[in-house]
Amino acid sequence: MFARLSFAALSLALVATMPLAAKEKAKAEPSAAETVTCDGVYGRKSSDALVKETFGTDNVKTGMAYGAEGVEFMATTVYPDDPQRVIEFSWWDEDKLEYLGSVDLSPSQQTPTGVRIGMTVAEVEAINGAPFTVGGFWWDYGGNAVFEKGRLVNPEDGCGFWIRFAPKDEYPSDLNVDAVSGEVTVPSSEPLLKTLDVRVQSISLGYPYPDELPKQDY
């Protein structure tokens, strides 16, 4: 017992005498991101019940959500009031709230390859190990990245990660942004992407429609 108290006292003394610069550096360093993999609560057969069991019922809200063009869907949202930790699950089976369709990751999470919300196009290209393309911005389906080669190419079946980029809100009014506007394909080498400070806006983990469910009518 005495040894434990002595160790605790020593630890407090070291913290108290830590140089101010070192303390400020510790504060500035970002916290480690949680790496999300395609299993457990993020697995194909996840469910609303498993999300509540994993994160605690008090931290979960289930209800209607809205996607591109105002599309409505049922979602299970974790930490809905915390922008840094909010996670949104959607389901292929909306009646039973099971069979994971997609998960929108939070800024405090990352893919297995280390991609996080807030990264620049150049940072993602470095992780991928090859150039890629981005859809033009300022419309409902803009900013989606397409990887045809490299580490970030999604498998044809099973779990994949979809990355969407967005430019900063403000830019000079005389800047010609036609090359990255609307339904166009933009190479990751396009200089405007750096000028507009384009960064990862969202990351979604997703699965194809499960064979276990009735075929969809289109």
Side-chain angles (χ1 to χ4, degrees), residues 73-131:
F73 61 96
M74 288 297 294
T76 301
T77 306
V78 182
Y79 307 123
D81 299 320
D82 187 340
Q84 289 302 308
R85 295 198 296 166
V86 61
I87 314 166
E88 185 176 88
F89 294 75
S90 65
W91 312 102
W92 284 118
D93 188 337
E94 291 195 339
D95 293 326
K96 296 181 179 179
L97 297 177
E98 59 185 19
Y99 287 105
L100 189 57
S102 66
V103 183
D104 289 343
L105 305 189
S106 76
S108 61
Q109 297 176 307
Q110 65 181 11
T111 71
T113 54
V115 178
R116 297 183 66 170
I117 290 173
M119 282 187 165
T120 66
V121 173
E123 288 173 326
V124 174
E125 184 178 278
I127 290 174
N128 187 49

Side-chain angles (χ1 to χ4, degrees), residues 133-185:
T133 60
V134 180
F137 306 111
W138 300 297
W139 67 298
D140 280 352
Y141 298 99
N144 291 309
V146 177
F147 301 93
E148 295 185 345
K149 58 181 178 179
R151 296 179 65 201
L152 302 181
V153 175
N154 283 319
E156 293 184 6
D157 297 312
C159 174
F161 291 86
W162 282 265
I163 299 168
R164 187 176 185 180
F165 290 87
K168 62 183 179 182
D169 293 333
E170 298 181 2
Y171 58 89
S173 58
D174 60 348
L175 180 66
N176 186 338
V177 295
D178 290 348
V180 297
S181 299
E183 298 181 53
V184 297
T185 299

